[in-house]
Amino acid sequence: MYRVTSVVLAALLAAAPLAAQDQPSLSGRCLTPDSIDVRGNQRVSREAVIASSGLVAGEVLNFPSIQRAIRDLFETGDFDDVVINCDVESAARSTLLLILKERPLLGAVSVAGPRRVSERQVQDRVELLIGRPVDPAEIAKAMTRIDSLYQANGYYLAQVRPETTVVGDRISLTFRVDEGRRLAIAGVNVDGNADISDAEIAGVMKTKPEGFLWFRRGDFDEDKFATDLGERIPTLFAERGYADFQLDHDTLVVDRERGKATVALSIREGPQYRARGFDVVGNRRFPTEQIAAYYPFTDRAPSLTERARALVKRRAPATNIFDRTRWEEATQQVSTLYNNEGYIYAQVRPVVERDPTDSLGFVRLRWDIVEQSPAIINRVDILGNDFTIENCIRDQLVIIPGDVFNQERMIRSWRSISNLGFFEAPLPFPDVRPANDAGDVDIVFRVKEKRTGNVNFGASVGQGTGLGGFIGLEQPNLFGKCKRGSVQWQFGQFINDFNSSYTDPGIRGSLISGQLSAYRSQARYRIADLGRSTRTGFSLRAGFPFPQSRFTRVFTTYGLESVRYGEDGLLGSVTSNSCAGCLRSTIGFDVTRDTRLDMPFPTEGQFQTVSAQFNGGPLGGSATYQRVTSEFRSYTVLARLGGSKPGSQPLRLTFGLSARSGALFGDAGDFFWSQQFSLGGVQFGEMLRGYPEFSITPAGYLGGTGTYNAQRESFGSAFFASTAEIGLRFNQSVYLNAFYDAGNLWLRPRDFDPTRLFRGSGVGVSTVTPLGPLGIDYAYGFDRRDANGMLAPRWQMHFRLGQVF
């Protein structure tokens, strides 16, 4: 009996003509087997094996058919080994044998060892099916995917080992992970740079080498590294004038034994370009002089930093360096200029022309402008307002159908709608859609209603008002018409306040607003032993639009208030009858312009107001005087952190500047404590942080024991206070800032002297509570003095509640 392996069989088949001459009986029997048999199969049936092989008994075999049968059997995934033999039983009969080794079935898959990377993430990389034959190639792929996951998280030293356990006729597979330590960057090596040093390049990268201090761990993050290569390093060279910069290749050299890696970069700087020559082509809407004002490379003296860098490198400071980043920003500003005038289809193409024969590296710049026709607003749609009436929302718009499209005014309208506080934030950015073939546009604002009214109650504590509670009902969007109503009762050990108000921003659909307020307040001020008071009154306020100004209104107010004092503290000593019959009748006028955004912690815009009150005289009452106050606030965004897409909520770094002043003419009589001015602290009177309440008087700072009792002499008839701050606005509820305050108090308006101010500086955090904004400030009073009149600056903690910051 002859047994011929598949290799021998293939050789015999290849030499079939010669074999037919020499041994016709043997070669003929193997070339045309009489039957096919299968051995080694347990799970897969004989018929399925033969069908998968494609071999048929009685047909003539050849080399390709044998190789194809072996390949097809392996591709089923059921076998680890396939051997084809020829069994010659006699001179007249032969059998083709398919000898197989079946793969075991997969019973279970698990992962062991992940700690720093989520176990679920590791399991997701294993794409093996339970109940299917175990494929070594698929196991290898799973190990590669797990390894890639760890590399993406900076663990280049992780090792993955498959472990198998036989359970019956199945195998349980466990991927055991040894994470090792996180790969640390030991250094950054740059090849090919001549003008910009390795340290400068490494300085702009987020992939930092490890340092001596604990926070310089040198962790490697693949996403940050990709951003370094694709954005930060090219931007650095573009800002320095290297417009032809190229990164040839990058390599991460890993030392697995030490757990360290070195970043190796190979670059080509190219020449450093300077801007020389500038043109504007195609502009008709704006004169060339107006567009040229955005050109960023005008002649100027080198900065101090540039001079210092030139001194170190022993060469003259370079001027008019072509900064591609500044050039792109200027191009965007010109595009915005056109967009704000309705030319939303205008194209501003920046052109940089290089002279290949110029060895000095100069470029000529040009803006090629295709203006096209301005877009007209066809429609302004508001979608999603199920409760708030549309007219209420449209009152916030500064764009209307028929206007030339203005991107700046559209963004202002979008933010004004968000300022209402009636809709979920962030408010989606408005859609601008083509309206017709003429190039007109439709603008769609989408809103989503949120619950606005609230009933609140709870406990409160204040610096000076003691422990208490509050019950309140507030609805800033009554009937969905933007009308505001509120009722609040605050009670406690030292306070019992009841306030109610109703505000209509547009009486009967007009442009006239109205507000009616009524209150009764009983308070005992522990602050500086001020004493007790009971105030009862109401006010009626009407607002009118200011001509030719969308954000300015003129208000007139009438108020009536009666006051009674207790028998303790300063207020108990000013009258003999506890101020029985003390009545204040007031009419006031004020002009207010408010363009602030992102309330209650504004980041942009201005607030300006001037107010004049006339008390007594022909109006009646027990005091006759005039009171004038003014306030100015301005905010601008210094930087946005994250959230670059329209409609997102980035963190905003904001600079704010404010100034407040006031003067009182005449005699406020027994109303001095609420109508004249006091300075210091944050709880009563005008705010000046870093100083206790009532510590600053017209006579100066009251130093000494640290106890500052309120006195008649603590009040003045003129004041000035200003604040400069840098704040970080996280969202509509959290605000962190650093501030600098300055202010003073004078006995008479003619004593005003802005060169004599008390200063304070510190940090604060503010948040929004049901009672209103809550803030804590920690400030340093620079001009505090001791009992001997010597400077004794110190820190002061302040607690604010219910004030708008």
Side-chain angles (χ1 to χ4, degrees):
M1 181 178 294
Y2 300 94
R3 298 185 180 275
V4 186
T5 64
S6 57
V7 176
V8 175
L9 179 59
L12 290 173
L13 293 174
L18 181 60
Q21 296 176 5
D22 298 339
Q23 297 178 351
S25 59
L26 178 62
S27 59
R29 289 193 297 271
C30 288
L31 287 174
T32 311
D34 298 287
S35 63
I36 300 175
D37 194 11
V38 179
R39 297 178 183 177
N41 61 311
Q42 297 179 358
R43 187 178 68 255
V44 184
S45 66
R46 174 181 179 277
E47 292 74 13
V49 173
I50 295 175
S52 298
S53 71
L55 301 175
V56 179
E59 290 188 355
V60 178
L61 300 177
N62 55 35
F63 182 79
S65 63
I66 293 295
Q67 293 298 317
R68 184 168 53 251
I70 294 174
R71 182 197 63 197
D72 292 345
L73 288 172
F74 271 119
E75 287 182 350
T76 63
D78 291 321
F79 310 108
D80 273 332
D81 191 22
V82 176
V83 176
I84 298 180
N85 282 351
C86 179
D87 188 356
V88 180
E89 301 175 0
S90 65
R93 183 175 180 81
S94 65
T95 301
L96 190 68
L97 299 179
L98 304 181
I99 304 174
L100 311 172
K101 181 181 179 182
E102 289 184 334
R103 288 176 175 172
L105 296 179
L106 183 63
V109 178
S110 61
V111 175
R115 294 188 305 275
R116 300 182 180 93
V117 176
S118 168
E119 185 173 329
R120 179 177 293 276
Q121 287 183 293
V122 178
Q123 289 175 342
D124 289 343
R125 297 301 191 277
V126 180
E127 298 177 354
L128 300 177
L129 298 178
I130 305 298
R132 294 286 298 168
V134 178
D135 188 346
E138 292 297 325
I139 294 176
K141 288 181 181 179
M143 293 171 61
T144 302
R145 286 191 290 265
I146 295 173
D147 190 60
S148 298
L149 171 66
Y150 273 91
Q151 288 188 16
N153 286 273
Y155 294 96
Y156 280 73
L157 309 179
Q159 296 181 351
V160 184
R161 300 189 310 274
E163 297 178 355
T164 58
T165 303
V166 178
V167 181
D169 61 344
R170 300 201 173 199
I171 287 181
S172 295
L173 180 62
T174 300
F175 289 93
R176 190 165 300 279
V177 181
D178 181 7
E179 294 179 328
R181 58 162 292 180
R182 192 180 183 94
L183 186 68
I185 301 300
V188 177
N189 296 328
V190 186
D191 181 35
N193 54 315
D195 187 66
I196 300 180
S197 66
D198 291 11
E200 290 179 287
I201 296 174
V204 301
M205 296 174 64
K206 292 295 185 181
T207 305
K208 302 288 187 182
E210 61 182 349
F212 175 76
L213 299 177
W214 76 94
F215 56 84
R216 287 288 301 274
R217 297 184 300 175
D219 292 343
F220 179 79
D221 187 298
E222 190 168 325
D223 293 336
K224 291 181 179 179
F225 185 56
T227 306
D228 290 336
L229 302 182
E231 296 180 13
R232 297 187 181 94
I233 296 177
T235 298
L236 170 66
F237 280 87
E239 290 175 348
R240 300 288 183 86
Y242 295 92
D244 297 334
F245 163 82
Q246 290 185 5
L247 176 64
D248 287 339
H249 66 265
D250 61 275
T251 306
L252 186 66
V253 183
V254 179
D255 184 347
R256 293 186 177 272
E257 292 184 0
R258 298 174 54 240
K260 308 287 185 182
T262 301
V263 176
L265 305 176
S266 178
I267 66 174
R268 279 185 286 173
E269 284 184 341
Q272 185 183 45
Y273 289 99
R274 294 172 174 81
R276 183 173 67 180
F278 168 68
D279 293 314
V280 180
V281 178
N283 56 307
R284 297 187 306 274
R285 172 62 182 83
F286 300 103
T288 300
E289 294 77 11
Q290 184 176 355
I291 296 178
Y294 293 94
Y295 178 67
F297 306 117
T298 56
D299 293 333
R300 61 176 177 83
S303 67
L304 183 61
T305 302
E306 292 170 339
R307 291 180 184 274
R309 185 181 295 116
L311 180 62
V312 172
K313 295 185 177 181
R314 298 182 180 180
R315 65 186 184 190
T319 58
N320 292 339
I321 298 298
F322 173 60
D323 183 340
R324 183 174 292 278
T325 301
R326 291 172 59 196
W327 175 239
E328 292 174 351
E329 290 175 352
T331 302
Q332 183 59 44
Q333 290 173 350
V334 176
S335 297
T336 301
L337 175 68
Y338 274 94
N339 288 343
N340 287 341
E341 293 298 326
Y343 291 83
I344 62 174
Y345 304 110
Q347 301 176 8
V348 181
R349 187 168 66 93
V351 179
V352 180
E353 295 178 338
R354 300 177 179 84
D355 185 355
T357 64
D358 185 3
S359 61
L360 298 178
F362 286 101
V363 294
R364 187 173 184 85
L365 306 177
R366 184 175 74 249
W367 278 322
D368 284 345
I369 301 176
V370 181
E371 293 183 340
Q372 301 190 22
S373 300
I376 305 299
I377 300 175
N378 180 59
R379 294 183 54 179
V380 178
D381 294 330
I382 300 173
L383 304 178
N385 53 313
D386 301 323
F387 177 70
T388 306
I389 64 172
E390 190 164 307
N391 285 343
C392 176
I393 304 174
R394 288 188 180 274
D395 286 343
Q396 307 301 315
L397 302 180
V398 291
I399 52 175
I400 59 175
D403 279 350
V404 173
F405 177 83
N406 186 295
Q407 179 171 292
E408 187 176 281
R409 286 161 53 193
M410 180 189 71
I411 294 175
R412 174 76 204 197
S413 302
W414 166 62
R415 298 182 72 174
S416 294
I417 293 175
S418 181
N419 262 8
L420 287 173
F422 303 158
F423 311 109
E424 290 188 359
L427 196 70
F429 197 73
D431 294 333
V432 180
R433 304 173 177 175
N436 49 47
D437 296 336
D440 299 337
V441 296
D442 294 335
I443 301 177
V444 181
F445 293 90
R446 298 182 182 275
V447 299
K448 186 177 181 180
E449 302 271 9
K450 71 175 183 179
R451 184 181 63 85
T452 54
N454 62 82
V455 177
N456 52 71
F457 56 89
S460 66
V461 62
Q463 178 187 340
T465 57
L467 181 66
F470 62 91
I471 299 175
L473 170 64
E474 182 179 15
Q475 175 52 270
N477 191 15
L478 275 173
F479 319 118
K481 298 181 178 181
C482 293
K483 305 178 190 297
R484 179 181 294 269
S486 67
V487 177
Q488 189 172 79
W489 177 34
Q490 187 176 358
F491 53 89
Q493 182 180 5
F494 301 109
I495 193 168
N496 193 333
D497 277 355
F498 180 84
N499 297 277
S500 64
S501 68
Y502 172 78
T503 303
D504 190 341
I507 300 176
R508 301 179 65 87
S510 68
L511 297 178
I512 301 175
S513 63
Q515 181 181 29
L516 176 64
S517 301
Y519 57 90
R520 177 178 174 81
S521 174
Q522 295 177 296
R524 174 187 172 191
Y525 291 94
R526 293 193 303 164
I527 304 173
D529 194 27
L530 184 60
R532 300 182 183 182
S533 69
T534 301
R535 301 167 54 228
T536 306
F538 78 93
S539 65
L540 182 63
R541 180 180 175 90
F544 307 88
F546 194 85
Q548 306 300 319
S549 179
R550 173 69 175 78
F551 303 103
T552 306
R553 295 184 71 82
V554 179
F555 295 92
T556 179
T557 306
Y558 176 77
L560 189 65
E561 179 184 83
S562 67
V563 177
R564 290 186 63 87
Y565 300 148
E567 298 179 355
D568 56 343
L570 173 63
L571 299 180
S573 64
V574 296
T575 61
S576 58
N577 60 354
S578 299
C579 210
C582 291
L583 187 69
R584 184 168 65 90
S585 180
T586 304
I587 187 169
F589 303 93
D590 57 276
V591 179
T592 300
R593 176 177 173 81
D594 192 354
T595 61
R596 293 175 296 176
L597 296 172
D598 302 321
M599 297 295 288
F601 306 118
T603 59
E604 296 180 62
Q606 293 183 349
F607 175 80
Q608 301 159 315
T609 183
V610 177
S611 176
Q613 293 182 4
F614 302 91
N615 297 263
L619 299 174
S622 57
T624 300
Y625 60 94
Q626 299 80 46
R627 191 175 192 262
V628 180
T629 58
S630 66
E631 184 174 1
F632 168 81
R633 296 177 181 266
S634 180
Y635 303 91
T636 185
V637 174
L638 299 178
R640 289 178 173 84
L641 309 178
S644 58
K645 295 182 179 180
S648 59
Q649 285 190 308
L651 277 68
R652 291 184 174 92
L653 186 65
T654 303
F655 174 74
L657 185 65
S658 65
R660 309 177 309 280
S661 61
L664 186 142
F665 304 91
D667 184 7
D670 295 330
F671 292 93
F672 72 92
W673 70 283
S674 63
Q675 297 301 296
Q676 284 189 295
F677 309 105
S678 64
L679 190 66
V682 299
Q683 285 292 314
F684 188 89
E686 303 301 330
M687 182 176 67
L688 185 63
R689 290 164 288 190
Y691 298 86
E693 311 286 338
F694 298 106
S695 62
I696 297 176
T697 73
Y701 177 77
L702 295 179
T705 63
T707 301
Y708 303 92
N709 289 331
Q711 306 173 28
R712 186 62 181 87
E713 293 76 15
S714 302
F715 296 84
S717 293
F719 87 98
F720 173 80
S722 63
T723 298
E725 65 178 308
I726 294 179
L728 183 61
R729 181 186 186 273
F730 291 89
N731 48 46
Q732 288 183 324
S733 300
V734 181
Y735 180 71
L736 181 69
N737 70 328
F739 56 85
Y740 178 85
D741 290 350
N744 203 352
L745 184 68
W746 295 275
L747 184 62
R748 296 174 296 272
R750 65 173 180 266
D751 297 333
F752 176 77
D753 181 4
T755 65
R756 180 173 167 266
L757 301 177
F758 292 91
R759 303 160 300 156
S761 181
V763 295
V765 60
S766 304
T767 185
V768 175
T769 70
L771 279 179
L774 166 68
I776 298 176
D777 299 310
Y778 193 52
Y780 188 76
F782 293 97
D783 301 307
R784 297 175 65 159
R785 296 181 178 273
D786 59 20
N788 298 321
M790 304 298 292
L791 278 175
R794 57 177 297 184
W795 290 93
Q796 179 86 23
M797 181 72 74
H798 299 284
F799 177 85
R800 294 175 289 153
L801 179 63
Q803 301 181 27
V804 177
F805 308 137

